[in-house]
Amino acid sequence: MALSPHDEWILENRLRPVLTAQLMAQAAARPAGPHPRDLIDVYDFVRRNPDPDKPRYLIVKTPDGFAIGVRSPVRGEPPQLVDGVRHATRDEAEYDVLVRRLHDYGVTW
């Protein structure tokens, strides 16, 4: 399933124009906020998972930091970690999830 025409319009006309290196630097510096309006719009779009075919990322606390995982397609199964990267803080992991979600939609800056 692809994005709906409305979501595709939002992605192309509302989000891509504002996704700059400067905005992403703000996201990296303060993953928990406060955020400018443009960044709130980006977070709202990627967090609502409008495309069920895209991975559903989550943050997993591990003994050596925070890892990124994806939800299992089988209910009740544990998440699968996507790689061996561990983040020292949850904020770093939150930013990584944002970047991954944007890349899933083909968005670069």
Side-chain angles (χ1 to χ4, degrees):
M1 177 178 187
L3 289 173
S4 71
H6 183 253
D7 286 332
E8 193 66 48
W9 187 92
I10 291 170
L11 180 62
E12 295 302 323
N13 296 288
R14 178 68 187 109
L15 301 183
R16 281 189 199 271
V18 301
L19 277 164
T20 62
Q22 180 183 3
L23 188 69
M24 292 306 291
Q26 290 176 1
R30 293 182 308 208
H35 301 299
R37 180 76 236 168
D38 288 339
L39 191 53
I40 291 170
D41 291 344
V42 170
Y43 273 119
D44 285 348
F45 184 84
V46 299
R47 286 180 175 161
R48 64 188 173 103
N49 289 314
D51 189 342
D53 292 335
K54 302 292 184 205
R56 294 186 178 236
Y57 297 107
L58 48 86
I59 297 171
V60 179
K61 175 97 170 93
T62 66
D64 55 342
F66 295 89
I68 307 302
V70 292
R71 291 186 181 181
S72 171
V74 179
R75 188 176 186 150
E77 292 287 320
Q80 298 172 333
L81 301 183
V82 294
D83 54 31
V85 174
R86 296 296 180 269
H87 301 283
T89 67
R90 183 170 181 93
D91 283 350
E92 291 173 7
E94 290 283 353
Y95 178 73
D96 188 11
V97 168
L98 173 63
V99 170
R100 289 172 188 269
R101 286 181 172 159
L102 290 171
H103 281 217
D104 287 344
Y105 288 110
V107 177
T108 57
W109 48 94

